[in-house]
Amino acid sequence: MARSNLTMFPNAGKYDQFSSLEQHLLAWNVPPSELIHIPSHWLSYPEPEASIHILLGLLYIAFFLMSMLGNGLVIWIFTTSKSLKTASNMFVVNLAFCDFFMMLKTPIFIYNSFYRGFASGHIGCQIFAFVGSMTGIGAGMTNACIAYDRYATISNPLEGKMTRTKALVMILFVWFYTTPWAVLPLLELWGRFVPEGYLTSCSFDYLMDTFDNRMFVGVIFTFSYVIPMSFIIYFYSQIVKHVMDHERALREQAKKMNVDSLRSNQNMQNQSAEIRIAKVAVTICFLFVASWTPYAVVALIGAFGDQSLLTPGLTMIPACTCKAVACLDPYVYALSHPRFRVELQNKLPWLAIKETVTETQSNVSNTTTAAQA
């Protein structure tokens, strides 16, 4: 491959090579001064067809619009509606904040895609990866906080209510916990941020074959994936166990009293609302697993496994899954919240939502998802 192509700048606006039948390698249009920032692993792969870049760019435009709408509405409604200003909902707002800012970086990806590669350069790559690390790990730990809040509220409803002070301290801890894993690679004190896949997205370097880098990958894998995942699985499993034990106790008591059920109509309505909210919790847990597990697997393969398995196309899959979940989170969390829909109806009546909240729904919602401080 002739290296004269490396003198082409991606933002020149003219690509006579597009009409050529010759297939270029990745980074063919990257200036030599920027090549040092690209792992050599990607330089041996052919560049994808222009249509792949365009499709990914259009997909990210859709992600961007969905996220701005969904997360923007969540932040707006939850911060301006008095009935939703609860301690527990502070975590929902923080999650929406993470997802909102995660998707604010997508214009960098879109720009790179339409210019077929590393068009935004090293600075754009660092911004993209830094924002992604802060918001991605922050969202994971916020999900863990939400799981803990629901576990504490359901397992101990009298003493487990979240206070505003406690919620604020937990949110500050989340950002204190997250910051080192974004700052260290940004300053290249430990690890570094580099382009990946089609060179249109950036993440921490999981390909550099050094002991320090492998150690960094192992540590960030533990702190950004294993720890929040363990908390989420533990707390939600305890919630399920608590509900099952409660149901078993009710059945045994009903059997002793020779009745079919101890539940009144109101209790049955409460149970229905609790089941609906539990389904939302399980959905969020599943979304977290589905979004970040591919990234975790790719990073482990790159650091400790067979790097030849990591093709540019394969590594773009986890980059898309985590962005997709950042778009879905607000719709799963907020649109399943009866009071959110009521407030949305009040502020934007032209949406014709026509939502009503019964006293039962209100009490259950306050008990399980938005305990008053």
Side-chain angles (χ1 to χ4, degrees):
M1 174 65 62
R3 284 297 178 184
S4 60
N5 287 330
L6 295 177
T7 61
M8 294 289 297
F9 283 82
N11 59 353
K14 296 180 181 179
Y15 284 105
D16 294 335
Q17 288 83 357
F18 283 11
S19 60
S20 173
L21 296 177
E22 178 186 2
Q23 187 172 24
H24 299 284
L25 297 179
L26 284 171
W28 67 272
N29 52 356
V30 176
S33 60
E34 297 282 6
L35 277 177
I36 60 174
H37 303 299
I38 302 176
S40 59
H41 174 80
W42 307 118
L43 301 180
S44 61
Y45 287 93
E47 184 192 36
E49 298 295 333
S51 58
I52 300 297
H53 280 302
I54 294 173
L55 286 174
L56 285 172
L58 294 175
L59 177 63
Y60 268 63
I61 290 175
F63 285 162
F64 178 79
L65 295 176
M66 287 180 61
S67 177
M68 294 301 101
L69 176 62
N71 290 298
L73 283 176
V74 169
I75 295 172
W76 175 46
I77 298 295
F78 274 83
T79 56
T80 59
S81 302
K82 185 176 180 180
S83 63
L84 294 174
K85 289 183 178 180
T86 64
S88 295
N89 282 343
M90 291 171 65
F91 297 122
V92 177
V93 173
N94 195 61
L95 179 64
F97 179 86
C98 290
D99 291 339
F100 184 88
F101 277 89
M102 175 183 287
M103 299 308 291
L104 275 183
K105 67 177 184 175
T106 53
I108 296 176
F109 181 95
I110 296 167
Y111 178 81
N112 286 341
S113 293
F114 289 147
Y115 279 101
R116 300 180 64 176
F118 199 50
S120 61
H122 181 63
I123 294 178
C125 179
Q126 298 304 293
I127 295 173
F128 186 94
F130 175 79
V131 174
S133 295
M134 286 290 291
T135 56
I137 301 174
M141 291 304 296
T142 302
N143 270 303
C145 291
I146 292 173
Y148 164 76
D149 175 45
R150 288 178 170 174
Y151 162 74
T153 302
I154 292 176
S155 63
N156 193 1
L158 296 180
E159 299 180 4
K161 287 187 176 182
M162 183 69 61
T163 65
R164 291 180 183 275
T165 301
K166 184 177 180 180
L168 180 60
V169 170
M170 292 176 67
I171 290 172
L172 291 176
F173 173 78
V174 166
W175 291 107
F176 176 79
Y177 179 96
T178 300
T179 300
W181 311 116
V183 173
L184 289 174
L186 178 68
L187 302 179
E188 297 191 6
L189 298 175
W190 195 16
R192 63 171 183 163
F193 291 137
V194 294
E196 63 178 349
Y198 293 145
L199 311 184
T200 49
S201 65
C202 295
S203 183
F204 62 90
D205 189 355
Y206 46 78
L207 294 171
M208 187 164 54
D209 189 17
T210 64
F211 175 80
D212 282 345
N213 195 65
R214 288 194 296 271
M215 180 65 69
F216 174 76
V217 172
V219 171
I220 198 173
F221 167 77
T222 301
F223 280 84
S224 66
Y225 179 78
V226 175
I227 291 178
M229 179 71 73
S230 299
F231 281 137
I232 290 170
I233 292 176
Y234 172 76
F235 289 129
Y236 281 137
S237 64
Q238 289 300 305
I239 290 174
V240 173
K241 180 177 181 298
H242 178 82
V243 172
M244 292 177 64
D245 291 343
H246 180 66
E247 290 297 316
R248 182 168 58 252
L250 286 178
R251 288 195 299 270
E252 291 176 355
Q253 186 65 25
K255 185 177 180 181
K256 292 178 181 179
M257 298 175 63
N258 292 322
V259 296
D260 293 333
S261 176
L262 296 178
R263 293 187 181 276
S264 63
N265 290 336
Q266 182 176 1
N267 287 335
M268 292 298 291
Q269 292 176 354
N270 288 344
Q271 181 191 32
S272 176
E274 289 171 352
I275 290 175
R276 184 172 64 253
I277 293 170
K279 288 180 179 179
V280 173
V282 172
T283 301
I284 289 294
C285 184
F286 170 77
L287 288 177
F288 181 82
V289 173
S291 61
W292 292 107
T293 299
Y295 237 131
V297 171
V298 165
L300 291 180
I301 292 175
F304 305 103
D306 183 3
Q307 294 185 357
S308 64
L309 297 175
L310 302 181
T311 62
L314 177 66
T315 55
M316 293 307 298
I317 295 176
C320 292
T321 57
C322 64
K323 305 300 183 301
V325 171
C327 299
L328 295 175
D329 275 348
Y331 299 96
V332 174
Y333 264 122
L335 295 183
S336 63
H337 197 305
R339 285 200 173 275
F340 173 84
R341 294 197 298 271
V342 169
E343 294 295 338
L344 186 61
Q345 174 181 283
N346 293 337
K347 294 180 181 296
L348 301 175
W350 51 269
L351 289 177
I353 297 176
K354 297 181 181 180
E355 177 70 25
T356 58
V357 176
T358 64
E359 187 65 25
T360 297
Q361 287 177 313
S362 177
N363 291 336
V364 172
S365 180
N366 286 337
T367 300
T368 57
T369 63
Q372 294 288 347

